[in-house]
Amino acid sequence: MNKIEALEWKAEKYSLGRAMTAAKADGTVLKVADVEPAHEGAVGYTSRDKIIHLAYEHEIMDGLDKNHKRAFRMGVCTHELMHQILTDFVILERNVIGLPSYEQRIFAELNNIIEDARIEHYAYQFVGGALLSSLKFAIAHTYKIAHPLEECPNALTQFMNALVMYGDLGPLIGHFTFPEAKEAFMKSAELFDAGIHEVSPRKVIKITKQIFEIARPLWQDE
């Protein structure tokens, strides 16, 4: 990043922070900052704090021109804003405490996949204009460059990637090569739909628990 790009990025983060603060509309001041070294490789993330972390460059943006990269970043930022508005991180933490560390990671990832689709489903109730358009662009672009299911190295990854695709735009890219992943997906699809349309974060956690148990045969022997 040269000096001019650094200045433009600083201005973009400030502008996004103001846009996110206005969209949240509850008096909370949100800031947009760079991805921290501990989370290197992430395109964007948020937590219970009032900071949305966003990557300036990421491989997911390869091939996009400058304007579309900016639109993608705004879309990712809007996605993280919706987590700030709708996701209850406290409830998630309470439900993973006590699980073995590897089960915590799987449970949190499954919950995040459901939450991602859910918050995007409800986004139109909170944002519009450029924010909503950029969110839709980011979803469509992510879906467009997704690797086919047959490239997944194991059944659990294939199952989770299928849920992500289903949550983004619906049709799956590629085909299942692990029968157990397909079976788990078919058993989870109706629950996943319910999670996307669920208003209560507590009920989403209950749905996550059900999908978690359905998926257990995919990872319990690993």
Side-chain angles (χ1 to χ4, degrees):
M1 187 187 305
N2 60 40
K3 188 174 182 179
I4 294 177
E5 289 173 335
L7 288 173
E8 290 177 342
W9 176 226
K10 183 178 180 180
E12 183 180 339
K13 287 184 289 185
Y14 177 74
S15 177
L16 285 171
R18 292 190 64 182
M20 298 304 114
T21 296
K24 199 163 189 296
D26 64 353
T28 301
V29 177
L30 297 177
K31 294 183 179 180
V32 176
D34 291 277
V35 168
E36 298 170 318
H39 297 276
E40 184 178 359
V43 65
Y45 60 91
T46 191
S47 59
R48 281 182 292 168
D49 60 25
K50 300 176 179 63
I51 300 175
I52 293 172
H53 295 270
L54 191 62
Y56 177 71
E57 289 286 359
H58 191 278
E59 62 182 2
I60 200 171
M61 291 182 270
D62 290 349
L64 295 178
D65 60 31
K66 183 176 181 179
N67 288 334
H68 283 92
K69 285 183 178 180
R70 188 179 295 114
F72 184 86
R73 288 193 293 266
M74 179 181 282
V76 173
C77 202
T78 302
H79 174 94
E80 298 306 328
L81 166 68
M82 296 311 303
H83 274 305
Q84 291 275 359
I85 294 173
L86 292 175
T87 299
D88 193 322
F89 295 102
V90 175
I91 291 177
L92 173 60
E93 290 176 4
R94 286 174 180 169
N95 279 271
V96 298
I97 290 175
L99 294 175
S101 59
Y102 65 93
E103 289 194 14
Q104 288 184 22
R105 293 194 297 271
I106 294 170
F107 188 95
E109 180 62 23
L110 284 172
N111 182 253
N112 186 63
I113 292 171
I114 300 172
E115 278 289 296
D116 282 351
R118 184 177 81 93
I119 64 173
E120 289 166 355
H121 171 73
Y122 284 110
Y124 74 95
Q125 295 186 12
F126 299 90
V127 298
L131 296 185
L132 186 59
S133 295
S134 65
L135 175 61
K136 291 180 178 179
F137 170 71
I139 295 168
H141 177 69
T142 302
Y143 178 83
K144 179 181 178 181
I145 66 171
H147 292 286
L149 289 177
E150 56 266 27
E151 295 183 11
C152 296
N154 55 60
L156 179 61
T157 302
Q158 194 168 75
F159 168 70
M160 287 188 165
N161 283 6
L163 289 179
V164 171
M165 292 175 188
Y166 187 65
D168 280 345
L169 290 178
L172 303 185
I173 300 172
H175 59 273
F176 286 101
T177 54
F178 295 93
E180 60 272 37
K182 182 177 182 179
E183 181 181 359
F185 176 80
M186 297 302 292
K187 288 181 178 178
S188 301
E190 189 173 346
L191 287 167
F192 191 77
D193 276 333
I196 291 174
H197 296 88
E198 181 53 60
V199 175
S200 168
R202 293 182 182 277
K203 291 183 179 179
V204 174
I205 288 292
K206 290 181 179 180
I207 290 171
T208 301
K209 289 179 178 179
Q210 291 176 274
I211 295 178
F212 179 75
E213 291 304 324
I214 290 172
R216 185 177 289 276
L218 306 183
W219 51 263
Q220 65 181 357
D221 293 331
E222 294 293 332

